[in-house]
């Protein structure tokens, strides 16, 4: 079984080497013609690149050999059972756990607290984003089960976002739109997407390409809307105290 | 000390979800072998993420910042734009989230949309839009206009691209802005806008990540329009 885990590791190593080659070439170019770092610094950088190489390789191997097949199997088992609706609460739970733990969400929360001059409490914001993402993941599961077109979710979502953007203090807008990718970290793409794919493969009439992908986009909407909504509430409060 | 922080970060992001998934697996009575594989995979992912994040901090980000400063100090628009394009491209090729998503697209589409194709197209999209985002510093275009324009193009392309490129395209945009690309984009943007616009510099660098998500979406939807 341990052998199983290393299946295809050689291919992964080659892939990762190929993925890191372009960036290494650009670094080398800048080093030779522009930066001209001293030797000591170069050695440190090379060490960093080697660590990154092994990190990326182990990560991808773990995803390929462990996370993806299991996530898919789970999605398939749940999708074909008569209790496929269980996917919705499971999605909610997974969304919450993933977001609460995501480092970039914590960076976002700090940013918003600062932008509101401390008026938007960090903890309130964190919980709000978590609930937002949970609803998104649950919605993504529902979409696979019921075959709801991605349009029906994205269009209202973005219309609300752009309308809200008109009414929030200006400095909230770029923070909100940047936050879209904050909740879609490595765990979302690997485990949750794999579960969605498995379910889409098993449920009759679903095409994983059409009904499965789009999941991270629904997740990305959650922090955008949350930040805008909090910005909207904050803006109104600010006006009240001004007038 | 740095390493301790990184380990903590990774523990927080991996452990809760592993526990939930493990519980569901037991409830579903999946075969023992897959459960063992899952935990093995989790250990790999854990080690991988710790090493990756450490390596990026030690080896990549300092160089990224130096390159950013070096480009900006030259002050020539075409150098900034060209470098933005190239850096956006090469950094994104090494993005772990993109590697995973592209692999999944390859597998689900039965190889008709290959992994390499997705990675190259998405990275081209990021490169072009990162360059555009930097260009707006020179031309002083408000970010909201660029975002609205970008989404308008996305909307039109979505109408004409084949159905199976739609979800894939959107996901490519949000997934690619991961742990490798975002720090690079931010440090590049902060560097450029601090030199270009003397005031409101922090307002200027925001929005660059959002803009960079639009690039890959447009690129993949276009791929669908022409080759779908």
């Amino acid at each position: 079984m341990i052998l199983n885990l290393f299946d295809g590791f050689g291919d992964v190593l080659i892939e990762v080497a190929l993925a890191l080659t372009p960036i290494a070439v650009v670094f080398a170019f800048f080093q030779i013609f522009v930066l001209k770092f001293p030797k000591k610094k170069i050695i440190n950088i090379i060490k960093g690149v080697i660590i990154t190489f092994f990190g990326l390789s182990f990560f991808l191997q773990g995803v390929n050999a462990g996370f993806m097949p299991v996530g898919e199997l789970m999605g398939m088992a749940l999708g074909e059972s008569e209790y496929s609706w269980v996917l919705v609460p499971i999605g909610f739970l997974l969304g919450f756990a993933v977001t609460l733990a995501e480092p970039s969400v914590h960076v976002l929360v700090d940013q918003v607290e600062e932008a509101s001059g401390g008026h938007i409490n960090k903890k309130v914001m964190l919980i709000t984003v978590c609930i937002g993402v949970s609803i998104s993941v649950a919605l993504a599961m529902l979409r696979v089960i019921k075959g709801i077109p991605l349009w029906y979710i994205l269009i209202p979502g973005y219309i609300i976002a752009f309308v809200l953007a008109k009414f929030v203090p200006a400095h909230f807008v770029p923070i909100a739109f940047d936050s879209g990718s904050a909740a879609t970290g490595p765990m979302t793409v690997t485990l949750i997407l794999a579960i969605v794919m498995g379910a889409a493969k098993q449920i009759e009439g679903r095409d994983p390409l059409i009904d499965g992908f789009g999941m991270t986009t629904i997740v990305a909407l959650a922090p955008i809307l949350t930040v805008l909504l909090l910005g909207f509430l904050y803006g109104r409060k600010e006006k009240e105290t001004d007038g | 000390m740095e390493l301790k922080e990184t380990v903590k970060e990774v523990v927080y992001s991996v452990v809760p979800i592993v526990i939930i998934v493990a519980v569901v697996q037991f409830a579903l009575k999946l075969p023992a072998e897959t459960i063992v594989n899952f935990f093995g995979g989790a250990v790999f992912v854990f080690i991988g993420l710790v090493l990756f994040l450490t390596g990026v901090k030690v080896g990549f980000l300092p160089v990224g910042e130096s390159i950013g400063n070096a480009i900006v100090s030259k002050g020539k628009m075409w150098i900034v734009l060209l470098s933005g394009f190239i850096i956006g491209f090469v950094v994104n090729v090494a993005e772990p989230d993109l590697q995973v998503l592209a692999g999944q697209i390859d597998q689900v589409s039965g190889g008709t949309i290959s992994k390499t194709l997705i990675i190259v197209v998405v990275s081209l999209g990021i490169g072009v839009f990162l360059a555009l985002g930097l260009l707006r510093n020179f031309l002083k275009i408000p970010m909201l206009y660029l975002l609205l324009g970008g989404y308008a193009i996305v909307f039109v392309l979505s109408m004409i691209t084949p159905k199976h490129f739609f979800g894939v395209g959107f996901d490519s945009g949000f997934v690619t802005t991961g742990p490798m690309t975002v720090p690079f984009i931010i440090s590049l943007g902060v560097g450029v806008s601090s030199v270009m616009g003397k005031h409101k510099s922090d307002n200027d660098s925001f929005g660059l990540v959002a803009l960079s998500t639009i690039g890959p979406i447009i690129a993949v939807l276009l791929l669908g329009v022409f080759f779908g």
Side-chain angles (χ1 to χ4, degrees):
Chain A
M1 248 174 286
I2 287 296
L3 275 177
N4 220 340
L5 266 182
F6 279 97
D7 267 2
F9 196 45
D11 292 339
V12 170
L13 288 176
I14 294 170
E15 252 173 54
V16 172
L18 284 176
L20 290 177
T21 304
I23 200 171
V25 170
V26 170
F27 276 12
F29 174 85
F30 272 93
Q31 162 62 19
I32 294 166
F33 294 103
V34 188
L35 297 172
K36 303 196 170 75
F37 284 137
K39 221 180 201 160
K40 211 176 150 196
K41 197 162 179 189
I42 292 297
I43 291 172
N44 265 336
I45 291 168
I46 292 175
K47 272 187 207 157
V49 173
I50 293 172
I51 296 172
T52 308
F53 169 76
F54 282 107
L56 197 50
S57 304
F58 271 99
F59 170 75
L60 288 177
Q61 181 65 17
V63 168
N64 289 342
F67 279 18
M68 298 277 235
V70 171
E72 210 180 297
L73 218 63
M74 271 175 64
M76 285 167 83
L78 286 165
E80 69 184 351
S81 80
E82 50 190 309
Y83 303 109
S84 59
W85 58 268
V86 176
L87 279 167
V88 177
I90 289 179
F92 190 89
L93 219 67
L94 287 175
F96 203 92
V98 167
T99 316
L100 196 61
E102 181 62 49
S104 38
V105 170
H106 289 266
V107 175
L108 171 70
V109 166
D110 284 335
Q111 260 179 15
V112 172
E113 193 179 55
E114 212 184 294
S116 71
H119 282 284
I120 297 177
N121 181 281
K122 239 199 278 203
K123 289 221 170 83
V124 175
M125 161 99 188
L126 182 63
I127 299 297
T128 322
V129 174
C130 285
I131 294 174
V133 174
S134 304
I135 295 173
S136 286
V137 179
L139 205 62
M141 296 292 182
L142 193 67
R143 172 178 160 239
V144 175
I145 298 170
K146 297 279 178 205
I148 304 167
L150 186 56
W151 276 124
Y152 290 19
I153 299 167
L154 287 193
I155 296 230
Y158 274 102
I159 288 178
I160 296 172
F162 277 112
V163 169
L164 271 178
K166 296 229 98 179
F167 294 101
V168 302
H171 59 294
F172 274 90
V173 177
I175 300 179
F177 282 96
D178 272 356
S179 74
S181 51
T184 52
M187 289 298 118
T188 319
V189 206
T190 53
L191 267 174
I192 302 185
L193 190 59
I195 295 174
V196 170
M197 285 300 153
K201 272 183 195 165
Q202 213 59 29
I203 298 173
E204 213 172 308
R206 300 290 170 274
D207 179 344
L209 263 182
I210 295 170
D211 300 295
F213 286 113
M215 181 232 122
T216 59
T217 313
I218 301 173
V219 170
L221 260 176
I224 299 181
L225 289 176
T226 311
V227 174
L228 286 172
L229 210 63
L230 287 174
F232 177 67
L233 293 176
Y234 165 72
R236 273 182 46 174
K237 217 169 153 189
E238 204 180 35
K239 257 184 209 153
E240 266 171 35
T241 47
D242 280 355
Chain B
M1 205 179 68
E2 283 261 310
L3 185 67
K4 215 171 143 190
E5 274 300 302
T6 311
V7 170
K8 218 168 96 184
E9 208 172 82
V10 175
V11 167
Y12 282 156
S13 71
V14 176
V15 171
I17 188 161
V18 164
I19 292 174
I20 297 177
V21 172
V23 170
V24 177
Q25 281 178 57
F26 281 113
L28 285 173
K29 302 196 181 69
L30 290 186
E33 196 187 341
T34 56
I35 297 178
V36 172
N37 257 359
F38 174 72
F39 281 111
V43 172
F44 270 50
V45 166
F46 174 80
I47 297 172
L49 279 178
V50 169
L51 289 178
F52 174 77
L53 294 173
T54 310
V56 168
K57 269 180 217 161
V58 177
F60 285 85
L61 292 187
V63 187
E65 266 164 45
S66 308
I67 292 179
N69 290 336
I71 298 166
V72 176
S73 65
K74 297 261 184 273
K76 287 213 177 70
M77 190 166 97
W78 71 271
I79 295 184
V80 173
L81 299 188
L82 184 68
S83 311
F85 171 75
I86 294 174
I87 289 173
F89 183 86
V90 297
V91 166
N92 202 59
V93 167
E95 178 66 55
D97 296 8
L98 176 61
Q99 295 276 338
V100 175
L101 182 81
Q104 226 157 13
I105 295 172
D106 190 322
Q107 187 216 340
V108 171
S109 71
T112 46
I113 314 173
S114 82
K115 188 173 170 179
T116 319
L117 182 67
I118 283 287
I119 291 177
V120 170
V121 167
V122 165
S123 303
L124 280 176
I126 286 245
V128 170
F129 268 69
L130 188 57
L132 269 181
L134 297 175
L135 180 66
R136 77 169 260 287
N137 280 306
F138 291 91
L139 303 181
K140 311 257 179 271
I141 307 168
M143 185 54 96
L144 190 62
Y145 291 175
L146 273 183
L147 287 178
L148 272 170
Y151 277 114
I153 298 175
V154 166
F155 183 80
V156 172
L157 285 177
S158 306
M159 310 282 281
I160 49 178
T161 204
K163 239 182 171 178
H164 55 279
F165 275 89
F166 181 42
V168 172
F170 271 89
D171 277 1
S172 306
F174 288 103
V175 158
T176 49
T177 39
M180 185 88 172
T181 314
V182 172
F184 255 94
I185 291 179
I186 290 176
S187 61
L188 203 64
V190 169
V192 171
S193 62
S194 68
V195 172
M196 298 311 300
K198 296 291 177 225
H199 31 226
K200 288 205 302 186
S201 70
D202 50 0
N203 242 358
D204 261 14
S205 58
F206 276 128
L208 206 52
V209 176
L211 199 63
S212 306
T213 59
I214 297 179
I217 301 180
I218 292 181
V220 175
L221 293 178
L222 271 177
L223 180 73
V225 171
F226 286 112
F227 301 102

